[in-house]
Amino acid sequence: MLKAGIVGLPNVGKSTLFNALVANAQAEAANYPFCTIEPNSGIVSVPDPRLQLLSDQSGSKETIPTKVEFVDIAGLVKGASQGEGLGNKFLANIREVDAIVHVVRCFDNNDVIHVSGSVDPTRDAEVINLELGLADLSQVEKRRERLKKQARTSKEAQAEDGVLERIQAELEAGGAVRKLSLRAEEKLLLKPLGLLTAKPIIYATNVSEDDLAGGNAYCQELAAVAKLEGAATVRISAQVEAELIELPEADRAEFLAGLGVEEGGLQSLIRATYTLLGLRTYFTTGEKETRAWTIQAGMTAPQAAGVIHTDFERGFIRAQTIGFQQLLEAGSVAAARNKGWLRAEGKDYVVAEGDVMEFLFNV
């Protein structure tokens, strides 16, 4: 399951957003720093209208979406890498997530205290990025020190130290590990360190209700920062998300349309996260259940089958495959089979976004 950490300075709207995304979460959202002390986590279903259409077509007894876990992590302040504020808790918790959702305040409101006294998205982003970089630099320096003796006789230690030397230079220059082009085997060497700046990042510009459709100067400022970093941005309004929770499902689309947007923050955030991480969705469908599965882009049919169960990958024979839209057009799997639209795909087939698949395998 994808795990995304919601981070940011105190009082930027993290917990309000988290509560809205995870409607049954109990994180306290209050107007003072560090209202979130322990990381709150909640699992949400990934919104995907294709899933219900397939389920209805198959007459499935169950409809099972794929899931994302959001973790609301304590607010960070300058000096966190040296333990200021709740820095040590923050840094430990963020090491465990797959992607970082960095919420940055992009609205003016004199009634909501800003920890630095004013709204400045570039400065706020830099505070957290600097602390993450300093924490990583400390990790790298300690690891290189431990490798010194081993590197005299071990080629593996020499190889690891060589990678760490490049990373140290990047961090000392104010960069991030994710900017470096690292080979798969080099990334594997680094995995135990859990480097924070190696994680993909999405900047969530938290705006007022009035700025959700068009954004504002703060959003443009942060978008320029993100572009330089190769990071993604998504515009959200914690205020709007909190209001959506109070509305019946049937009224939410109309409410959003009145604000000039087509989807809520959850959909926008998950879509941006999937794109950033290179994730794809495929489906299985039948009378028993219709289910969405998340895979990495580029996965072959056996690897996709392995997401369901390792036995499926081990004993893979072939996959009966059809695109989502074509299956809807056919009217049913049986009709698609009669039309000759089902494809028999082998071990080298790379699964496409929206494929509907049935796996044949040996036990």
mmCIF file of all heavy atoms in Angstrom, residues 223-266:
data_model
loop_
_atom_site.group_PDB
_atom_site.id
_atom_site.type_symbol
_atom_site.label_atom_id
_atom_site.label_comp_id
_atom_site.label_asym_id
_atom_site.label_seq_id
_atom_site.Cartn_x
_atom_site.Cartn_y
_atom_site.Cartn_z
ATOM 1 N N ALA A 223 5.201 27.242 -7.449
ATOM 2 C CA ALA A 223 5.296 26.443 -8.674
ATOM 3 C C ALA A 223 6.666 26.629 -9.322
ATOM 4 O O ALA A 223 7.246 25.680 -9.865
ATOM 5 C CB ALA A 223 4.191 26.833 -9.646
ATOM 6 N N ALA A 224 7.195 27.848 -9.257
ATOM 7 C CA ALA A 224 8.527 28.121 -9.813
ATOM 8 C C ALA A 224 9.598 27.379 -9.022
ATOM 9 O O ALA A 224 10.546 26.829 -9.596
ATOM 10 C CB ALA A 224 8.794 29.626 -9.796
ATOM 11 N N VAL A 225 9.440 27.324 -7.706
ATOM 12 C CA VAL A 225 10.376 26.579 -6.847
ATOM 13 C C VAL A 225 10.332 25.096 -7.196
ATOM 14 O O VAL A 225 11.364 24.441 -7.363
ATOM 15 C CB VAL A 225 10.025 26.787 -5.355
ATOM 16 C CG1 VAL A 225 10.847 25.853 -4.468
ATOM 17 C CG2 VAL A 225 10.258 28.241 -4.949
ATOM 18 N N ALA A 226 9.132 24.561 -7.312
ATOM 19 C CA ALA A 226 8.955 23.138 -7.613
ATOM 20 C C ALA A 226 9.548 22.774 -8.967
ATOM 21 O O ALA A 226 10.165 21.711 -9.124
ATOM 22 C CB ALA A 226 7.471 22.781 -7.579
ATOM 23 N N LYS A 227 9.382 23.645 -9.942
ATOM 24 C CA LYS A 227 9.903 23.391 -11.287
ATOM 25 C C LYS A 227 11.419 23.248 -11.263
ATOM 26 O O LYS A 227 11.995 22.365 -11.911
ATOM 27 C CB LYS A 227 9.489 24.513 -12.242
ATOM 28 C CG LYS A 227 9.827 24.244 -13.697
ATOM 29 C CD LYS A 227 9.283 25.336 -14.602
ATOM 30 C CE LYS A 227 9.612 25.032 -16.062
ATOM 31 N NZ LYS A 227 9.090 26.091 -16.960
ATOM 32 N N LEU A 228 12.090 24.099 -10.496
ATOM 33 C CA LEU A 228 13.551 24.028 -10.382
ATOM 34 C C LEU A 228 13.996 22.722 -9.740
ATOM 35 O O LEU A 228 15.052 22.187 -10.061
ATOM 36 C CB LEU A 228 14.066 25.216 -9.554
ATOM 37 C CG LEU A 228 14.008 26.592 -10.216
ATOM 38 C CD1 LEU A 228 14.407 27.677 -9.231
ATOM 39 C CD2 LEU A 228 14.914 26.638 -11.450
ATOM 40 N N GLU A 229 13.157 22.189 -8.845
ATOM 41 C CA GLU A 229 13.500 20.957 -8.130
ATOM 42 C C GLU A 229 13.061 19.702 -8.868
ATOM 43 O O GLU A 229 13.396 18.588 -8.477
ATOM 44 C CB GLU A 229 12.817 20.951 -6.746
ATOM 45 C CG GLU A 229 13.330 21.995 -5.802
ATOM 46 C CD GLU A 229 12.648 21.887 -4.445
ATOM 47 O OE1 GLU A 229 12.008 20.868 -4.170
ATOM 48 O OE2 GLU A 229 12.760 22.843 -3.665
ATOM 49 N N GLY A 230 12.231 19.894 -9.919
ATOM 50 C CA GLY A 230 11.664 18.727 -10.581
ATOM 51 C C GLY A 230 10.583 18.072 -9.742
ATOM 52 O O GLY A 230 10.299 16.881 -9.870
ATOM 53 N N ALA A 231 9.963 18.848 -8.849
ATOM 54 C CA ALA A 231 8.904 18.341 -7.975
ATOM 55 C C ALA A 231 7.541 18.636 -8.583
ATOM 56 O O ALA A 231 7.404 19.448 -9.490
ATOM 57 C CB ALA A 231 9.010 18.976 -6.589
ATOM 58 N N ALA A 232 6.512 17.968 -8.064
ATOM 59 C CA ALA A 232 5.145 18.187 -8.527
ATOM 60 C C ALA A 232 4.439 19.178 -7.608
ATOM 61 O O ALA A 232 4.837 19.372 -6.459
ATOM 62 C CB ALA A 232 4.389 16.864 -8.552
ATOM 63 N N THR A 233 3.388 19.813 -8.122
ATOM 64 C CA THR A 233 2.553 20.686 -7.296
ATOM 65 C C THR A 233 1.088 20.336 -7.511
ATOM 66 O O THR A 233 0.694 19.899 -8.589
ATOM 67 C CB THR A 233 2.750 22.182 -7.637
ATOM 68 O OG1 THR A 233 2.428 22.403 -9.010
ATOM 69 C CG2 THR A 233 4.164 22.638 -7.366
ATOM 70 N N VAL A 234 0.302 20.516 -6.480
ATOM 71 C CA VAL A 234 -1.144 20.340 -6.592
ATOM 72 C C VAL A 234 -1.794 21.398 -5.705
ATOM 73 O O VAL A 234 -1.323 21.677 -4.611
ATOM 74 C CB VAL A 234 -1.572 18.911 -6.187
ATOM 75 C CG1 VAL A 234 -1.222 18.622 -4.738
ATOM 76 C CG2 VAL A 234 -3.055 18.696 -6.420
ATOM 77 N N ARG A 235 -2.845 22.022 -6.228
ATOM 78 C CA ARG A 235 -3.522 23.073 -5.475
ATOM 79 C C ARG A 235 -4.672 22.456 -4.685
ATOM 80 O O ARG A 235 -5.517 21.755 -5.259
ATOM 81 C CB ARG A 235 -4.054 24.151 -6.412
ATOM 82 C CG ARG A 235 -4.505 25.429 -5.703
ATOM 83 C CD ARG A 235 -5.093 26.434 -6.690
ATOM 84 N NE ARG A 235 -4.189 26.614 -7.818
ATOM 85 C CZ ARG A 235 -4.589 26.682 -9.087
ATOM 86 N NH1 ARG A 235 -5.845 26.541 -9.399
ATOM 87 N NH2 ARG A 235 -3.698 26.860 -10.050
ATOM 88 N N ILE A 236 -4.691 22.695 -3.392
ATOM 89 C CA ILE A 236 -5.764 22.170 -2.551
ATOM 90 C C ILE A 236 -6.245 23.269 -1.609
ATOM 91 O O ILE A 236 -5.576 24.290 -1.434
ATOM 92 C CB ILE A 236 -5.311 20.930 -1.732
ATOM 93 C CG1 ILE A 236 -4.043 21.264 -0.913
ATOM 94 C CG2 ILE A 236 -5.043 19.741 -2.633
ATOM 95 C CD1 ILE A 236 -4.306 21.617 0.499
ATOM 96 N N SER A 237 -7.411 23.050 -1.037
ATOM 97 C CA SER A 237 -7.910 23.959 -0.003
ATOM 98 C C SER A 237 -8.403 23.101 1.155
ATOM 99 O O SER A 237 -9.424 22.419 1.038
ATOM 100 C CB SER A 237 -9.054 24.836 -0.528
ATOM 101 O OG SER A 237 -9.635 25.565 0.546
ATOM 102 N N ALA A 238 -7.663 23.123 2.243
ATOM 103 C CA ALA A 238 -8.076 22.355 3.422
ATOM 104 C C ALA A 238 -9.446 22.815 3.893
ATOM 105 O O ALA A 238 -10.258 22.013 4.365
ATOM 106 C CB ALA A 238 -7.039 22.520 4.531
ATOM 107 N N GLN A 239 -9.725 24.104 3.730
ATOM 108 C CA GLN A 239 -11.013 24.669 4.113
ATOM 109 C C GLN A 239 -12.145 24.025 3.306
ATOM 110 O O GLN A 239 -13.165 23.592 3.857
ATOM 111 C CB GLN A 239 -10.991 26.179 3.875
ATOM 112 C CG GLN A 239 -12.323 26.888 4.065
ATOM 113 C CD GLN A 239 -12.301 28.316 3.531
ATOM 114 O OE1 GLN A 239 -11.256 28.812 3.102
ATOM 115 N NE2 GLN A 239 -13.450 28.963 3.538
ATOM 116 N N VAL A 240 -11.941 23.916 1.996
ATOM 117 C CA VAL A 240 -12.954 23.315 1.127
ATOM 118 C C VAL A 240 -13.123 21.827 1.429
ATOM 119 O O VAL A 240 -14.243 21.306 1.476
ATOM 120 C CB VAL A 240 -12.582 23.514 -0.362
ATOM 121 C CG1 VAL A 240 -13.460 22.657 -1.282
ATOM 122 C CG2 VAL A 240 -12.709 24.980 -0.748
ATOM 123 N N GLU A 241 -11.999 21.135 1.641
ATOM 124 C CA GLU A 241 -12.070 19.706 1.939
ATOM 125 C C GLU A 241 -12.854 19.459 3.223
ATOM 126 O O GLU A 241 -13.617 18.488 3.321
ATOM 127 C CB GLU A 241 -10.657 19.120 2.069
ATOM 128 C CG GLU A 241 -9.859 19.126 0.776
ATOM 129 C CD GLU A 241 -10.540 18.377 -0.349
ATOM 130 O OE1 GLU A 241 -10.974 17.241 -0.143
ATOM 131 O OE2 GLU A 241 -10.664 18.952 -1.444
ATOM 132 N N ALA A 242 -12.682 20.332 4.210
ATOM 133 C CA ALA A 242 -13.420 20.190 5.466
ATOM 134 C C ALA A 242 -14.915 20.400 5.238
ATOM 135 O O ALA A 242 -15.749 19.730 5.853
ATOM 136 C CB ALA A 242 -12.888 21.190 6.494
ATOM 137 N N GLU A 243 -15.263 21.313 4.335
ATOM 138 C CA GLU A 243 -16.674 21.566 4.031
ATOM 139 C C GLU A 243 -17.286 20.404 3.251
ATOM 140 O O GLU A 243 -18.461 20.067 3.437
ATOM 141 C CB GLU A 243 -16.808 22.873 3.236
ATOM 142 C CG GLU A 243 -16.486 24.115 4.050
ATOM 143 C CD GLU A 243 -16.464 25.381 3.209
ATOM 144 O OE1 GLU A 243 -16.960 25.346 2.062
ATOM 145 O OE2 GLU A 243 -15.956 26.405 3.686
ATOM 146 N N LEU A 244 -16.497 19.779 2.384
ATOM 147 C CA LEU A 244 -16.996 18.664 1.579
ATOM 148 C C LEU A 244 -17.464 17.505 2.449
ATOM 149 O O LEU A 244 -18.436 16.824 2.136
ATOM 150 C CB LEU A 244 -15.913 18.173 0.612
ATOM 151 C CG LEU A 244 -15.731 18.924 -0.698
ATOM 152 C CD1 LEU A 244 -14.541 18.363 -1.454
ATOM 153 C CD2 LEU A 244 -16.980 18.850 -1.562
ATOM 154 N N ILE A 245 -16.735 17.244 3.545
ATOM 155 C CA ILE A 245 -17.069 16.140 4.432
ATOM 156 C C ILE A 245 -18.498 16.265 4.965
ATOM 157 O O ILE A 245 -19.201 15.268 5.162
ATOM 158 C CB ILE A 245 -16.098 16.083 5.636
ATOM 159 C CG1 ILE A 245 -14.713 15.680 5.179
ATOM 160 C CG2 ILE A 245 -16.574 15.097 6.696
ATOM 161 C CD1 ILE A 245 -13.701 15.729 6.279
ATOM 162 N N GLU A 246 -18.932 17.518 5.173
ATOM 163 C CA GLU A 246 -20.260 17.753 5.764
ATOM 164 C C GLU A 246 -21.387 17.585 4.755
ATOM 165 O O GLU A 246 -22.556 17.538 5.144
ATOM 166 C CB GLU A 246 -20.313 19.184 6.350
ATOM 167 C CG GLU A 246 -19.210 19.509 7.351
ATOM 168 C CD GLU A 246 -19.239 18.573 8.551
ATOM 169 O OE1 GLU A 246 -20.347 18.207 8.990
ATOM 170 O OE2 GLU A 246 -18.149 18.194 9.034
ATOM 171 N N LEU A 247 -21.045 17.485 3.472
ATOM 172 C CA LEU A 247 -22.074 17.400 2.433
ATOM 173 C C LEU A 247 -22.383 15.959 2.060
ATOM 174 O O LEU A 247 -21.500 15.104 2.087
ATOM 175 C CB LEU A 247 -21.611 18.143 1.168
ATOM 176 C CG LEU A 247 -21.428 19.653 1.262
ATOM 177 C CD1 LEU A 247 -20.877 20.181 -0.062
ATOM 178 C CD2 LEU A 247 -22.745 20.337 1.600
ATOM 179 N N PRO A 248 -23.625 15.671 1.682
ATOM 180 C CA PRO A 248 -23.936 14.348 1.130
ATOM 181 C C PRO A 248 -23.139 14.123 -0.152
ATOM 182 O O PRO A 248 -22.837 15.077 -0.879
ATOM 183 C CB PRO A 248 -25.444 14.430 0.834
ATOM 184 C CG PRO A 248 -25.947 15.589 1.629
ATOM 185 C CD PRO A 248 -24.801 16.543 1.754
ATOM 186 N N GLU A 249 -22.794 12.885 -0.428
ATOM 187 C CA GLU A 249 -22.001 12.546 -1.611
ATOM 188 C C GLU A 249 -22.594 13.156 -2.881
ATOM 189 O O GLU A 249 -21.875 13.667 -3.740
ATOM 190 C CB GLU A 249 -21.929 11.019 -1.753
ATOM 191 C CG GLU A 249 -20.974 10.534 -2.824
ATOM 192 C CD GLU A 249 -19.503 10.680 -2.437
ATOM 193 O OE1 GLU A 249 -19.190 10.510 -1.254
ATOM 194 O OE2 GLU A 249 -18.706 10.973 -3.338
ATOM 195 N N ALA A 250 -23.930 13.122 -2.997
ATOM 196 C CA ALA A 250 -24.609 13.582 -4.220
ATOM 197 C C ALA A 250 -24.446 15.081 -4.448
ATOM 198 O O ALA A 250 -24.563 15.566 -5.578
ATOM 199 C CB ALA A 250 -26.085 13.220 -4.147
ATOM 200 N N ASP A 251 -24.169 15.850 -3.382
ATOM 201 C CA ASP A 251 -24.089 17.313 -3.508
ATOM 202 C C ASP A 251 -22.666 17.823 -3.708
ATOM 203 O O ASP A 251 -22.474 19.018 -3.970
ATOM 204 C CB ASP A 251 -24.672 17.976 -2.248
ATOM 205 C CG ASP A 251 -26.152 17.667 -2.073
ATOM 206 O OD1 ASP A 251 -26.792 17.322 -3.080
ATOM 207 O OD2 ASP A 251 -26.644 17.771 -0.935
ATOM 208 N N ARG A 252 -21.676 16.936 -3.581
ATOM 209 C CA ARG A 252 -20.291 17.407 -3.596
ATOM 210 C C ARG A 252 -19.855 17.939 -4.958
ATOM 211 O O ARG A 252 -19.175 18.956 -5.046
ATOM 212 C CB ARG A 252 -19.355 16.291 -3.127
ATOM 213 C CG ARG A 252 -19.560 15.933 -1.671
ATOM 214 C CD ARG A 252 -18.633 14.842 -1.191
ATOM 215 N NE ARG A 252 -18.928 14.472 0.186
ATOM 216 C CZ ARG A 252 -18.238 13.590 0.880
ATOM 217 N NH1 ARG A 252 -17.209 12.958 0.333
ATOM 218 N NH2 ARG A 252 -18.580 13.316 2.126
ATOM 219 N N ALA A 253 -20.257 17.245 -6.029
ATOM 220 C CA ALA A 253 -19.860 17.681 -7.378
ATOM 221 C C ALA A 253 -20.410 19.072 -7.682
ATOM 222 O O ALA A 253 -19.713 19.921 -8.262
ATOM 223 C CB ALA A 253 -20.340 16.671 -8.417
ATOM 224 N N GLU A 254 -21.656 19.309 -7.272
ATOM 225 C CA GLU A 254 -22.282 20.617 -7.508
ATOM 226 C C GLU A 254 -21.564 21.707 -6.720
ATOM 227 O O GLU A 254 -21.341 22.818 -7.226
ATOM 228 C CB GLU A 254 -23.756 20.554 -7.108
ATOM 229 C CG GLU A 254 -24.520 21.835 -7.416
ATOM 230 C CD GLU A 254 -25.990 21.739 -7.017
ATOM 231 O OE1 GLU A 254 -26.463 20.617 -6.745
ATOM 232 O OE2 GLU A 254 -26.646 22.805 -6.974
ATOM 233 N N PHE A 255 -21.182 21.391 -5.480
ATOM 234 C CA PHE A 255 -20.460 22.350 -4.643
ATOM 235 C C PHE A 255 -19.118 22.719 -5.280
ATOM 236 O O PHE A 255 -18.755 23.895 -5.359
ATOM 237 C CB PHE A 255 -20.243 21.747 -3.258
ATOM 238 C CG PHE A 255 -19.411 22.597 -2.336
ATOM 239 C CD1 PHE A 255 -19.906 23.769 -1.796
ATOM 240 C CD2 PHE A 255 -18.110 22.215 -2.005
ATOM 241 C CE1 PHE A 255 -19.137 24.545 -0.938
ATOM 242 C CE2 PHE A 255 -17.336 22.986 -1.153
ATOM 243 C CZ PHE A 255 -17.854 24.164 -0.616
ATOM 244 N N LEU A 256 -18.384 21.699 -5.756
ATOM 245 C CA LEU A 256 -17.084 21.947 -6.392
ATOM 246 C C LEU A 256 -17.243 22.734 -7.687
ATOM 247 O O LEU A 256 -16.449 23.631 -7.981
ATOM 248 C CB LEU A 256 -16.374 20.614 -6.661
ATOM 249 C CG LEU A 256 -15.878 19.857 -5.418
ATOM 250 C CD1 LEU A 256 -15.402 18.462 -5.801
ATOM 251 C CD2 LEU A 256 -14.758 20.622 -4.722
ATOM 252 N N ALA A 257 -18.277 22.394 -8.457
ATOM 253 C CA ALA A 257 -18.518 23.114 -9.713
ATOM 254 C C ALA A 257 -18.775 24.594 -9.442
ATOM 255 O O ALA A 257 -18.351 25.466 -10.220
ATOM 256 C CB ALA A 257 -19.704 22.493 -10.449
ATOM 257 N N GLY A 258 -19.453 24.867 -8.329
ATOM 258 C CA GLY A 258 -19.715 26.261 -7.958
ATOM 259 C C GLY A 258 -18.442 27.029 -7.640
ATOM 260 O O GLY A 258 -18.402 28.263 -7.743
ATOM 261 N N LEU A 259 -17.382 26.287 -7.283
ATOM 262 C CA LEU A 259 -16.081 26.910 -7.002
ATOM 263 C C LEU A 259 -15.192 26.943 -8.241
ATOM 264 O O LEU A 259 -14.070 27.448 -8.194
ATOM 265 C CB LEU A 259 -15.363 26.145 -5.884
ATOM 266 C CG LEU A 259 -16.045 26.146 -4.514
ATOM 267 C CD1 LEU A 259 -15.276 25.250 -3.546
ATOM 268 C CD2 LEU A 259 -16.142 27.563 -3.952
ATOM 269 N N GLY A 260 -15.689 26.338 -9.334
ATOM 270 C CA GLY A 260 -14.934 26.351 -10.591
ATOM 271 C C GLY A 260 -13.935 25.228 -10.732
ATOM 272 O O GLY A 260 -13.006 25.317 -11.541
ATOM 273 N N VAL A 261 -14.108 24.143 -9.955
ATOM 274 C CA VAL A 261 -13.195 23.000 -10.067
ATOM 275 C C VAL A 261 -14.003 21.720 -10.291
ATOM 276 O O VAL A 261 -15.181 21.637 -9.943
ATOM 277 C CB VAL A 261 -12.299 22.841 -8.805
ATOM 278 C CG1 VAL A 261 -11.350 24.018 -8.679
ATOM 279 C CG2 VAL A 261 -13.141 22.699 -7.544
ATOM 280 N N GLU A 262 -13.352 20.714 -10.881
ATOM 281 C CA GLU A 262 -14.041 19.479 -11.245
ATOM 282 C C GLU A 262 -13.876 18.376 -10.210
ATOM 283 O O GLU A 262 -14.689 17.444 -10.169
ATOM 284 C CB GLU A 262 -13.532 18.969 -12.603
ATOM 285 C CG GLU A 262 -13.869 19.893 -13.763
ATOM 286 C CD GLU A 262 -13.370 19.357 -15.080
ATOM 287 O OE1 GLU A 262 -12.697 18.298 -15.082
ATOM 288 O OE2 GLU A 262 -13.642 19.989 -16.115
ATOM 289 N N GLU A 263 -12.819 18.446 -9.396
ATOM 290 C CA GLU A 263 -12.568 17.372 -8.442
ATOM 291 C C GLU A 263 -12.066 17.921 -7.126
ATOM 292 O O GLU A 263 -11.551 19.046 -7.054
ATOM 293 C CB GLU A 263 -11.560 16.368 -9.013
ATOM 294 C CG GLU A 263 -10.184 16.951 -9.275
ATOM 295 C CD GLU A 263 -9.208 15.943 -9.876
ATOM 296 O OE1 GLU A 263 -9.647 14.859 -10.297
ATOM 297 O OE2 GLU A 263 -8.013 16.256 -9.923
ATOM 298 N N GLY A 264 -12.220 17.104 -6.071
ATOM 299 C CA GLY A 264 -11.750 17.503 -4.752
ATOM 300 C C GLY A 264 -10.266 17.273 -4.587
ATOM 301 O O GLY A 264 -9.594 16.699 -5.450
ATOM 302 N N GLY A 265 -9.748 17.694 -3.441
ATOM 303 C CA GLY A 265 -8.314 17.602 -3.181
ATOM 304 C C GLY A 265 -7.792 16.180 -3.118
ATOM 305 O O GLY A 265 -6.660 15.912 -3.510
ATOM 306 N N LEU A 266 -8.619 15.251 -2.620
ATOM 307 C CA LEU A 266 -8.181 13.865 -2.520
ATOM 308 C C LEU A 266 -7.862 13.306 -3.896
ATOM 309 O O LEU A 266 -6.805 12.711 -4.108
ATOM 310 C CB LEU A 266 -9.255 13.016 -1.843
ATOM 311 C CG LEU A 266 -8.950 11.518 -1.724
ATOM 312 C CD1 LEU A 266 -7.686 11.292 -0.902
ATOM 313 C CD2 LEU A 266 -10.130 10.774 -1.112
#
